[in-house]
Amino acid sequence: MIQPICKDPLFLARKSLPAGPEDLPTARDLLDTLQAHAGECVGMAANMIGVSRRIIVFEAADGPMLMLNPEILKHSDPYSTEEGCLSLPGTRKTRRYRSIKVRYQTVDFAVRIRTFTGWTAQIIQHELDHCNGVLI
């Protein structure tokens, strides 16, 4: 179900809790909401729809990708950029990494480790900032 976008900076600044099986409906809502905002958004975290759980979804080369409990294990090649967000007005400068190694869980809670680069790595870092309560 498509959910409204949370714009409350106090809520968004809270660190998200780990996701469990009971949070799978939120994952589905997050996918639906991302697809509804496809023209203006390439990634979302659960707190953007008012749920403080470590769930992100983003547009990857082969379609939307969902991650539960993601964390960056390694990063390299820093650069500066500017990003916008559906939850916050305007754009903000930030530091990102061109390559990141991420450990996450699938919807079956299988653990995966994968390296992402370029634009996809930037999107994941933005969404993980949301999970960590970082407002850029």
Side-chain angles (χ1 to χ4, degrees):
M1 181 187 321
I2 299 168
Q3 299 294 328
I5 303 300
C6 176
K7 297 181 185 244
D8 177 358
L10 293 176
F11 180 81
L12 294 168
R14 289 188 217 158
K15 192 169 181 177
S16 296
L17 299 171
E22 67 279 3
D23 297 307
L24 290 178
T26 296
R28 179 75 248 167
D29 289 349
L30 198 57
L31 279 165
D32 292 345
T33 305
L34 178 65
Q35 289 172 341
H37 291 276
E40 57 191 332
C41 183
V42 293
M44 298 185 85
N47 67 351
M48 292 176 68
I49 60 169
V51 180
S52 188
R53 291 290 182 265
R54 292 186 67 80
I55 306 169
I56 69 170
V57 63
F58 56 93
E59 287 297 332
D62 54 351
M65 183 169 187
L66 181 74
M67 292 181 172
L68 303 169
N69 302 310
E71 62 179 307
I72 295 175
L73 301 175
K74 184 178 179 184
H75 54 73
S76 62
D77 199 6
Y79 65 100
S80 294
T81 189
E82 195 169 295
E83 298 174 350
C85 181
L86 280 180
S87 290
L88 302 167
T91 60
R92 285 148 304 283
K93 292 182 181 189
T94 189
R95 180 182 173 128
R96 296 292 181 221
Y97 297 91
R98 286 183 179 30
S99 179
I100 58 172
K101 183 184 233 179
V102 182
R103 178 175 43 222
Y104 63 96
Q105 293 172 304
T106 65
V107 293
D108 299 326
F109 290 89
V111 175
R112 300 282 187 262
I113 296 176
R114 184 170 164 191
T115 298
F116 296 89
T117 60
W119 177 238
T120 304
Q122 183 175 338
I123 298 166
I124 294 168
Q125 290 169 83
H126 180 100
E127 303 318 329
L128 283 175
D129 276 354
H130 274 291
C131 290
N132 293 327
V134 176
L135 301 179
I136 57 129

